């Protein structure tokens, strides 16, 4: 998945789909900047694939265990899905400042609150989008998914673009059949919300209710949707280009970024506060590695491919639910590595390792317990 995503984003930028809003006047972008950035995307994609090869040869039967995951999801009672749904909705109002969810002035108030809780909500809403199609009632699952989109769109965050795609993934897991009409509808919804997340950030009044009122009064802005789609992919390329071409990073910054210690133990201000393209846009993880050199890009993504490959091949034979958790973590890593800081992206690699070691310990424990004395 990551090589495909990176190749697509790299091709998007290399073909010149960067409009004036993205390129702006603050940086004088030359063709050589675009070529070098595209080369970084290629190195990252190839090295990630090479890193995953040793794990593939070790266990040829290794996969994500979609059949077993499907069986587990089918065993979920509707009551449990609804219970998890309401947990996510309630947690949504805890992770973000409640007073700014429905009505707020501008986008900045959403920065208030605990980042760890917001990250946990992102993880939970991704899981919810995948399991909702297993709700028995077709009308019920469509209703709950629409309601979820209505709530999340009030954030004006890019995560909403993923939800329709993940819902389609859940639908595919349920039927093991590619429904073209459903795919076209959900991809259209995803593209529509890519424009909403991008354009509505400039509104003076924002929030769940404010966004609905604005949409009711103004309708669909097709130009804005196209701009939002371009922003989704174009900015992923652009942030890497600008980070790599016009900013600096040191070896010390790299070591802080890959350090697993939490911020209350380790001083991370050198990267969290200073590694920013603008007030709102941080360095991209891929761009930061590009600053340090192609060797860093290759080594980092080779290691990431090896780690996720080990998890992918280990879990389906033992813990199917764990492979699903790692898959969700991998999705988050793939997306955040293009538009967020290296420390943020690396955090998901450590989450995957944590899940691996926890379930490895459980596996060893039960193996020893079953062993005759």
């Amino acid at each position: 998945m990551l090589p495909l995503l990176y190749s697509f984003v790299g091709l998007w930028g290399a073909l010149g789909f960067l409009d004036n809003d993205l390129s702006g006047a603050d940086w004088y972008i030359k063709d050589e900047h675009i070529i070098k950035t595209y080369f970084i995307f290629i190195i990252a994609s190839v090295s990630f694939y090479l890193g995953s090869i040793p794990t593939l040869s070790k266990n040829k039967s290794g996969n994500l265990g979609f059949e077993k995951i499907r069986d587990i999801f089918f065993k979920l009672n509707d009551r449990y899905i609804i219970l998890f749904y309401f947990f996510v909705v309630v947690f949504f109002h805890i992770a973000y400042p409640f007073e700014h969810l429905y009505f707020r002035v501008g986008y900045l108030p959403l920065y208030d609150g605990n980042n760890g809780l917001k990250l946990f909500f992102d993880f939970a809403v991704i899981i919810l989008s995948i399991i909702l199609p297993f709700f028995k009632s077709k009308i019920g699952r469509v209703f709950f998914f629409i309601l979820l989109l209505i709530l999340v769109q009030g954030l004006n965050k890019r995560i909403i673009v993923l939800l329709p795609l993940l819902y389609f993934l859940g639908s595919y897991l349920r039927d093991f059949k590619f429904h073209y009409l459903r795919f076209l509808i959900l991809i259209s919804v995803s593209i529509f919300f890519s424009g909403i997340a991008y354009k509505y950030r400039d509104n003076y009044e924002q929030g769940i209710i404010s966004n609905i009122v604005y949409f009711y009064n103004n309708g669909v802005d097709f130009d804005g949707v196209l701009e939002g789609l371009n922003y989704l992919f174009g900015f992923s390329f652009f942030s890497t280009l600008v980070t790599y071409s016009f900013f600096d990073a040191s070896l010390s910054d790299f070591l802080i970024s890959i350090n697993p210690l939490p911020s209350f133990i380790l001083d991370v201000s050198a990267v969290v506060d200073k590694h920013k393209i603008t007030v709102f846009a941080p360095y991209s993880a891929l761009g930061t590695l590009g600053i340090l050199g192609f060797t860093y890009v290759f080594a980092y993504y080779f290691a990431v491919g090896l780690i996720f490959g080990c998890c992918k091949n280990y879990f389906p034979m033992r813990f199917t639910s764990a492979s699903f958790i790692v898959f969700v973590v991998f999705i988050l890593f793939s997306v955040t590595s293009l538009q967020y800081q290296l420390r943020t992206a690396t955090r998901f690699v450590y989450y995957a390792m944590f899940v691996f070691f926890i379930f490895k310990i459980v596996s060893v424990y039960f193996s020893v317990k079953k062993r005759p004395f």
Side-chain angles (χ1 to χ4, degrees):
M1 174 184 166
L2 184 141
L4 290 176
L5 175 63
Y6 276 28
S7 298
F8 180 80
V9 171
L11 185 61
W12 185 281
L15 292 178
F17 294 131
L18 297 178
D19 60 17
N20 294 329
D21 289 337
L22 290 176
S23 57
D26 295 331
W27 299 281
Y28 178 61
I29 298 176
K30 303 177 182 179
D31 290 341
E32 63 183 73
H33 293 147
I34 297 177
I35 294 173
K36 289 180 179 179
T37 304
Y38 187 53
F39 190 58
I40 291 176
F41 274 88
I42 294 176
I43 293 176
S45 301
V46 172
S47 58
F48 179 88
Y49 176 74
L50 292 176
S52 65
I53 287 179
T55 61
L56 293 176
S57 60
K58 184 177 180 180
N59 183 3
K60 294 181 179 180
S61 63
N63 52 60
L64 286 172
F66 282 138
E67 293 84 0
K68 293 182 179 180
I69 293 175
R70 177 176 182 255
D71 293 339
I72 291 176
F73 286 172
F74 267 124
K75 293 177 182 178
L76 289 176
N77 188 288
D78 281 357
R79 181 174 56 187
Y80 293 117
I81 296 178
I82 292 299
L83 185 63
F84 183 62
Y85 183 92
F86 280 104
F87 165 78
V88 172
V89 171
V90 171
F91 194 79
F92 170 72
H93 293 81
I94 297 175
Y96 291 91
F98 179 82
E99 65 273 17
H100 299 309
L101 283 177
Y102 292 87
F103 302 95
R104 66 177 179 272
V105 176
Y107 181 72
L108 284 177
L110 283 183
Y111 279 87
D112 298 336
N114 187 289
N115 290 330
L117 295 180
K118 296 174 187 176
L119 182 63
F120 184 81
F121 168 76
D122 291 346
F123 187 79
V125 79
I126 285 175
I127 295 177
L128 178 61
S129 298
I130 296 176
I131 67 174
L132 258 183
F134 288 85
F135 190 75
K136 302 301 185 294
S137 170
K138 181 177 181 180
I139 297 177
R141 60 178 177 253
V142 172
F143 169 79
F144 284 121
F145 184 62
I146 291 175
L147 180 59
L148 182 67
L149 290 177
I150 290 174
L151 292 175
V152 179
Q153 63 82 29
L155 299 176
N156 291 340
K157 294 185 65 176
R158 289 181 290 272
I159 189 173
I160 194 172
V161 180
L162 284 176
L163 302 189
L165 303 179
L166 295 170
Y167 184 88
F168 178 79
L169 174 62
S171 299
Y172 177 79
L173 284 176
R174 185 191 66 224
D175 304 328
F176 276 152
K177 183 178 179 182
F178 194 95
H179 295 276
Y180 290 95
L181 179 59
R182 183 181 301 152
F183 176 75
L184 289 175
I185 292 174
L186 289 172
I187 198 70
S188 299
V189 172
S190 182
I191 292 173
F192 166 74
F193 279 114
S194 70
I196 294 295
Y198 172 59
K199 294 295 290 185
Y200 283 20
R201 284 188 180 187
D202 295 331
N203 291 349
Y204 177 76
E205 295 181 353
Q206 299 182 35
I208 298 172
I209 302 300
S210 298
N211 286 359
I212 293 174
V213 172
Y214 183 87
F215 175 76
Y216 177 80
N217 292 330
N218 296 275
V220 179
D221 181 0
F222 290 101
D223 291 336
V225 170
L226 293 177
E227 289 179 18
L229 181 63
N230 187 37
Y231 181 85
L232 182 66
F233 298 113
F235 188 75
S236 294
F237 185 87
F238 176 74
S239 62
T240 300
L241 183 154
V242 171
T243 301
Y244 166 68
S245 303
F246 301 102
F247 291 91
D248 295 319
S250 64
L251 176 60
S252 175
D253 296 337
F254 173 75
L255 295 177
I256 292 175
S257 296
I258 65 172
N259 195 312
L261 293 176
S263 57
F264 64 84
I265 297 177
L266 179 70
D267 183 10
V268 298
S269 59
V271 295
V272 174
D273 298 334
K274 298 178 182 179
H275 281 196
K276 292 185 177 181
I277 300 172
T278 66
V279 176
F280 304 107
Y283 288 10
S284 79
L286 184 55
T288 303
L289 293 169
I291 295 173
L292 297 168
F294 292 154
T295 302
Y296 283 84
V297 177
F298 183 90
Y300 179 87
Y301 277 91
F302 184 90
V304 170
L306 184 64
I307 292 170
F308 278 110
C310 287
C311 295
K312 177 175 74 70
N313 285 300
Y314 175 81
F315 285 130
M317 306 301 295
R318 297 163 178 82
F319 300 102
T320 304
S321 57
S323 68
F324 175 68
I325 295 174
V326 172
F327 176 66
V328 174
V329 172
F330 174 65
I331 292 175
L332 290 171
F333 169 81
S334 301
V335 175
T336 56
S337 60
L338 293 175
Q339 297 193 10
Y340 292 88
Q341 292 176 344
L342 181 60
R343 181 171 175 82
T344 302
T346 305
R347 189 182 304 159
F348 293 107
V349 180
Y350 287 123
Y351 290 160
M353 294 172 64
F354 177 77
V355 172
F356 176 87
F357 285 117
I358 289 296
F359 279 87
K360 181 67 174 178
I361 292 172
V362 173
S363 176
V364 171
Y365 171 77
F366 282 107
S367 296
V368 172
K369 191 174 182 180
K370 291 179 180 180
R371 191 178 303 165
F373 291 98

